[in-house]
Amino acid sequence: MAISTASTPTAARPKTADDDGQGGGRPRSYPVLSRREIEALIAEGRTVFIVDQHVVRADAWLKYHPGGEKAIGHMVGRDATDEVNVLHSPEARRLMLKYRIGRIEGPWKNFLPPVQGGRFRPRVVDKEEEEEEEEEEEQHGPEVGGGDGTASSSGPTSRSPSPTFDAGHADSTLRNRRANIARSASATSLSSADDSAAAAQPLDGMAHLDTLTRKEIRLDLAKYPPLDAATQSAIVAKYRLLGERIQAAGLYETRYSSYAIEGARYTVLAALAAFFLSRHWYTASAACLGMLWHQLVFTVHDAGHMGITHDFQTDTVIGILLADFIGGLSIGWWKRNHNVHHIVTNSPEHDPDIEHLPFFAVSHRFLGSLRSTYYERVLHYDAAARVFVALQHHLYYVILLFGRFNLYRLSWIHLLAGEGPRHGRAAWHRWLELAGHVFFWAWFGYGVLYRRVDGNGWRVLYVLVSHLVTMPVHVQITLSHFAMSTADLGVDESFPQKMLRTTMDVDCPPWLDFFHGGLQFQAVHHLFPRIPRHNLRRAQKLVQEFCDDVGIPYALYGFVDGNKEVIGRLAEVSRQAAILAKCQSVMEKGGGHHH
């Protein structure tokens, strides 16, 4: 859940014995909690999730969590073992042991978290009602989540039907056919079936979007392994074995010589920027400064994942010095945003990394003005969005040229609003970041632009060149996800399958690794976020073997082909926006009303 925690990296999972993690003394025993008891705790507003067969109640340390509360919210009611183990250090996981309140027996069926719309029954106080529930469980089995992501087999106690997944689950025969049909054939037949269904429906914009949602879900269900418990459990077991292989291969160990080379590159770029500035070669100076900022992003990304020294405080300070003091951006904002991204990757309602209205819509679902749980507001598909989305495949690179200015805005909102942790070991980071931003605008705004650059025209040019040169990093970040699936396959999908379904890698020769900075291995990175980027190429081979073994498609595109995929996705959503507008126009002319 959080990326920012402490100390040495390891893929090894902590022991699951009933101890309190404090060393010495008698092992602590935990009561077995039933699914119904856990549901009641969540209904009472408790932040409860499962880690290594134990029930963890996180309420007491929510406000201390370095990565913010939002990431934890998406794990409530779920088995968070894999997310916790790959995103946290062993020390942080040991600290988490003290918050265990019970244990479960057997496999756990995930609830849909409250932040995602899950509904939970409160504790039973009436004896007659309790007997009715027991009788119902005897008849229908324990209340477990189905493939549609519901919390319970009894409708009233689960969430309301979701057009995201439930609509796509209407054809219950699809999954039964899944093992017996070829993937390419299934995609074709499903597309045809959906087209026929769309043609049979009345001309309604929202119905059209729902049809697209069902189609996207069905295509993913046909392309990826089925969501039954046996298949997903096997994938998880092999994924954990993969983690052990990566640990044994030493891929969590940092090669500091690689960072020495990075440091030399940064020094050369900074020196060139200063030299050209002293000669009044403003364009050249600004270009070198922009290239420096572009390269620094990669090391800041490593620091945010504790991939350099593997110590929480040390890596955070490194990140602040580079991001805030030199780059003018907040690593605290990035962590809060990025933590959520790593858990709910490519979810239109939840992942802030794909929520870019009015400028971009990477899914047709944004055309329905959905509500973002991250920003806690509706992302309106308004007049401005209609203009930009209609042209987004043409404006993609143009808009990304100005991406850095938006990061300034988000950074200042985060710091001034105090959105980061205000308590615990990360509380002081906000003040260091604020000092870093003052320092940045002192050296860049006053020292460079005002004192060293002559004339307002040259100053504007210097700002534009230095900021526009950083555009490739925005392409590199969006490239890994914009063209990948945004479908919600429900709570039964395993963590590794979801990460591989929503993330692509970019193929490039080793000599270009410095340019991509590790972002070309995003699929590998999402599976194992704490691996230092200099080891990701070696880890990629092991991940490819894992994908071949479990039957999960591994998305690997060349840089050019990957860009074509992204532009193609943007063009497709733009086309669907035009169809939606036409549907709404016809309905208005026909006297219909918009649902």
Side-chain angles (χ1 to χ4, degrees):
M1 296 171 312
I3 290 168
S4 47
T5 40
S7 211
T8 45
T10 174
R13 300 165 65 232
K15 294 180 179 180
T16 59
D18 293 339
D19 59 61
D20 58 8
Q22 307 303 306
R26 215 178 207 178
R28 179 181 173 185
S29 62
Y30 294 92
V32 175
L33 298 181
S34 69
R35 182 177 181 80
R36 185 67 186 86
E37 289 175 305
I38 295 172
E39 181 184 7
L41 286 172
I42 299 173
E44 294 167 2
R46 307 304 181 190
T47 304
V48 177
F49 51 87
I50 311 300
V51 177
D52 289 319
Q53 295 296 105
H54 284 83
V55 182
V56 177
R57 177 175 162 181
D59 303 89
W61 52 269
L62 273 180
K63 64 182 181 180
Y64 301 102
H65 188 229
E69 299 180 10
K70 290 184 179 293
I72 299 177
H74 289 287
M75 288 292 98
V76 172
R78 297 175 60 103
D79 186 337
T81 301
D82 291 316
E83 289 88 341
V84 165
N85 287 335
V86 301
L87 289 168
H88 291 76
S89 68
E91 286 73 11
R93 299 201 299 268
R94 282 194 290 271
L95 287 173
M96 200 178 296
L97 298 181
K98 70 170 71 173
Y99 297 99
R100 298 188 296 187
I101 60 171
R103 58 189 176 88
I104 62 171
E105 292 183 337
W108 177 257
K109 296 286 288 183
N110 290 329
F111 285 114
L112 185 75
V115 69
Q116 296 180 17
R119 299 186 314 194
F120 299 83
R121 295 170 296 179
R123 200 176 303 275
V124 176
V125 294
D126 185 89
K127 185 66 178 175
E128 185 176 333
E129 183 181 351
E130 184 176 7
E131 291 175 354
E132 289 179 358
E133 283 191 5
E134 291 176 353
E135 182 179 346
E136 183 179 347
E137 288 191 13
E138 288 178 3
Q139 293 177 354
H140 303 288
E143 289 143 6
V144 296
D148 60 352
T150 56
S152 166
S153 58
S154 53
T157 62
S158 65
R159 66 180 173 94
S160 57
S162 164
T164 311
F165 188 85
D166 297 347
H169 191 59
D171 183 0
S172 61
T173 62
L174 173 67
R175 196 168 304 167
N176 294 332
R177 293 192 299 112
R178 165 63 181 79
N180 301 318
I181 56 178
R183 285 177 175 173
S184 59
S186 66
T188 303
S189 62
L190 289 170
S191 299
S192 301
D194 279 321
D195 290 341
S196 300
Q201 289 178 336
L203 193 62
D204 177 271
M206 294 302 104
H208 174 67
L209 295 183
D210 288 344
T211 298
L212 293 176
T213 299
R214 290 194 296 269
K215 178 178 178 179
E216 185 179 24
I217 292 169
R218 291 180 177 184
L219 288 173
D220 274 5
L221 289 174
K223 183 179 181 182
Y224 289 87
L227 302 179
D228 62 274
T231 300
Q232 294 299 309
S233 295
I235 290 173
V236 168
K238 291 180 179 180
Y239 167 64
R240 293 174 181 175
L241 289 175
L242 172 63
E244 294 176 5
R245 291 183 64 192
I246 285 175
Q247 171 71 23
L251 298 184
Y252 281 93
E253 299 173 5
T254 302
R255 298 200 314 265
Y256 289 103
S257 59
S258 298
Y259 282 104
I261 296 173
E262 299 289 343
R265 184 182 302 117
Y266 303 157
T267 302
V268 169
L269 289 172
L272 286 174
F275 172 76
F276 291 141
L277 183 62
S278 69
R279 296 301 178 97
H280 301 283
W281 298 349
Y282 298 133
T283 303
S285 173
C288 289
L289 181 58
M291 287 188 281
L292 172 63
W293 286 337
H294 171 265
Q295 289 288 299
L296 285 178
V297 165
F298 306 139
T299 300
V300 171
H301 184 250
D302 293 350
H305 283 288
M306 294 180 301
I308 302 177
T309 69
H310 316 304
D311 175 77
F312 168 60
Q313 296 289 9
T314 303
D315 277 1
T316 300
V317 170
I318 291 173
I320 291 174
L321 291 176
L322 296 180
D324 296 79
F325 282 76
I326 300 179
L329 305 178
S330 168
I331 192 174
W333 162 80
W334 175 85
K335 285 184 178 182
R336 185 172 184 263
N337 178 289
H338 203 64
N339 290 343
V340 175
H341 164 68
H342 265 268
I343 291 173
V344 286
T345 309
N346 261 29
S347 172
E349 293 92 348
H350 312 302
D351 182 1
D353 270 18
I354 64 169
E355 295 178 339
H356 298 300
L357 282 181
F359 301 108
F360 297 124
V362 300
S363 168
H364 63 274
R365 297 186 56 215
F366 286 106
L367 307 181
S369 295
L370 55 78
R371 184 180 187 277
S372 166
T373 60
Y374 182 83
Y375 292 110
E376 299 180 354
R377 60 179 174 84
V378 174
L379 303 177
H380 292 286
Y381 182 60
D382 54 18
R386 288 185 178 91
V387 172
F388 281 109
V389 170
L391 301 170
Q392 62 181 358
H393 49 301
H394 300 299
L395 297 177
Y396 173 63
Y397 299 108
V398 176
I399 292 174
L400 292 186
L401 283 170
F402 300 91
R404 193 171 186 87
F405 294 103
N406 186 49
L407 297 184
Y408 288 143
R409 178 184 69 87
L410 293 169
S411 295
W412 276 108
I413 290 174
H414 173 82
L415 291 173
L416 294 179
E419 293 177 342
R422 297 192 180 191
H423 306 274
R425 60 200 308 241
W428 66 277
H429 296 164
R430 179 194 179 201
W431 304 109
L432 183 59
E433 285 202 86
L434 286 170
H437 281 250
V438 172
F439 179 84
F440 171 78
W441 289 108
W443 77 259
F444 177 67
Y446 178 76
V448 174
L449 293 179
Y450 182 75
R451 294 293 303 272
R452 302 300 299 275
V453 178
D454 299 325
N456 290 333
W458 283 111
R459 288 171 184 145
V460 171
L461 180 66
Y462 197 98
V463 169
L464 288 176
V465 171
S466 61
H467 287 63
L468 302 189
V469 163
T470 65
M471 186 269 278
V473 77
H474 301 291
V475 174
Q476 290 162 329
I477 291 170
T478 58
L479 180 62
S480 301
H481 301 290
F482 269 23
M484 298 301 290
S485 175
T486 58
D488 177 7
L489 298 191
V491 297
D492 288 336
E493 184 177 29
S494 64
F495 172 75
Q497 178 166 313
K498 181 175 178 62
M499 294 302 103
L500 290 164
R501 185 172 59 84
T502 56
T503 312
M504 76 160 68
D505 274 0
V506 177
D507 193 21
C508 74
W511 65 270
L512 263 181
D513 283 353
F514 83 94
F515 176 73
H516 290 284
L519 298 185
Q520 74 274 38
F521 302 115
Q522 278 292 290
V524 182
H525 169 71
H526 269 253
L527 291 176
F528 302 100
R530 293 180 295 110
I531 294 180
R533 63 180 156 115
H534 305 294
N535 294 332
L536 288 174
R537 183 172 287 277
R538 291 171 58 198
Q540 184 185 50
K541 297 179 180 179
L542 299 179
V543 170
Q544 288 174 321
E545 293 175 6
F546 163 76
C547 289
D548 291 340
D549 185 22
V550 299
I552 297 179
Y554 177 74
L556 178 64
Y557 292 88
F559 185 73
V560 174
D561 289 337
N563 275 266
K564 289 180 179 178
E565 291 289 320
V566 171
I567 297 299
R569 167 62 63 84
L570 295 175
E572 173 60 20
V573 176
S574 179
R575 187 177 74 87
Q576 297 301 338
I579 295 174
L580 174 65
K582 184 177 180 180
C583 291
Q584 293 172 337
S585 175
V586 170
M587 286 193 67
E588 290 173 2
K589 290 179 180 178
H593 63 278
H594 180 79
H595 296 285

